[in-house]
Amino acid sequence: MCNHSPACPDTTSTACCSAHVVADHSEQGWCRLCNGVILFDDGGYLTPDGRALTLAG
């Protein structure tokens, strides 16, 4: 999905949530990243393969 250089981290990377935002819906509490991850304001995220995870912190 990522067409810029350097490419964003893959969804299997521990840094997957640092990819570029391509759709910002902050009024609803989420955004979509260029690697397909859906990132929620509460620190949770969904990967394109359906895994639900939370940011380590």
Side-chain angles (χ1 to χ4, degrees):
M1 289 185 204
C2 186
N3 62 2
H4 47 272
S5 181
C8 288
D10 186 69
T11 59
T12 59
S13 168
T14 57
C16 68
C17 292
S18 64
H20 291 264
V21 173
V22 294
D24 181 15
H25 293 280
S26 54
E27 74 283 357
Q28 296 176 358
W30 64 277
C31 64
R32 186 171 63 85
L33 307 179
C34 72
N35 59 4
V37 168
I38 304 294
L39 181 61
F40 297 97
D41 287 351
D42 67 358
Y45 63 98
L46 294 172
T47 60
D49 64 359
R51 292 179 294 142
L53 304 164
T54 58
L55 295 172

